[in-house]
């Protein structure tokens, strides 16, 4: 989806998979935040984030994630994305709603704050 939306070129996907082989991007609470390796920084065209819901969970190492955020950032902008996500995910009720809502506008509003 990051490629389709023009955030990264296709090689970034390989870098995301490489990152996952090095260390899982699963952060707990049913959430994973896959992103590319440092060497893939040049393949990022613009900073962006995508969000996927997996109600039954998708495997991330030994864990299952119900919510997956794919991120890409120019320079250090990925750090801002991560900080904003972590702040958002601190609210347990909000996290559970993010995992199940079908209201795309609401999700976009939460991610853009």
């Amino acid at each position: 989806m990051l490629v389709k939306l023009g955030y990264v070129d296709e090689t970034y996907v390989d870098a995301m998979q490489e990152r996952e082989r090095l260390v899982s991007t699963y952060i707990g609470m049913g959430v994973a935040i896959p992103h590319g390796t440092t060497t893939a920084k040049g393949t990022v065209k613009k900073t962006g984030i995508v969000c996927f819901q997996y109600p039954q969970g998708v495997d991330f190492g030994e864990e299952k994630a119900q919510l997956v955020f794919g991120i890409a950032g120019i320079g250090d902008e990925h750090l801002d994305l991560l900080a904003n996500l972590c702040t958002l995910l601190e609210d347990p009720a909000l996290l559970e709603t993010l995992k199940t809502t079908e209201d795309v506008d609401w999700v976009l509003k939460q991610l853009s704050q």
Side-chain angles (χ1 to χ4, degrees):
M1 190 59 67
L2 289 169
V3 173
K4 183 178 178 180
L5 294 172
Y7 294 117
V8 299
D9 72 30
E10 292 181 11
T11 61
Y12 190 80
V13 176
D14 294 331
M16 292 175 85
Q17 293 170 338
E18 177 63 21
R19 164 78 66 201
E20 212 58 45
R21 283 189 289 274
L22 294 171
V23 62
S24 177
T25 57
Y26 181 83
I27 64 166
M29 305 170 299
V31 178
I33 308 176
H35 54 284
T37 59
T38 305
T39 58
K41 291 302 246 174
T43 66
V44 178
K45 299 176 182 179
K46 60 183 179 178
T47 298
I49 184 170
V50 294
C51 176
F52 296 93
Q53 297 169 319
Y54 297 96
Q56 304 307 315
V58 63
D59 291 334
F60 268 81
E62 306 265 325
E63 306 291 340
K64 289 221 181 258
Q66 291 85 37
L67 197 56
V68 178
F69 295 96
I71 65 168
I74 293 177
D76 288 335
E77 291 179 1
H78 69 287
L79 298 175
D80 293 332
L81 288 174
L82 287 169
N84 291 342
L85 272 177
C86 288
T87 299
L88 180 68
L89 300 175
E90 286 178 346
D91 181 336
L94 188 63
L95 172 59
E96 290 308 310
T97 301
L98 281 167
K99 289 179 182 179
T100 58
T101 187
E102 294 181 16
D103 187 343
V104 174
D105 291 331
W106 182 85
V107 172
L108 291 171
K109 180 180 175 187
Q110 301 309 308
L111 293 176
S112 64
Q113 294 183 12

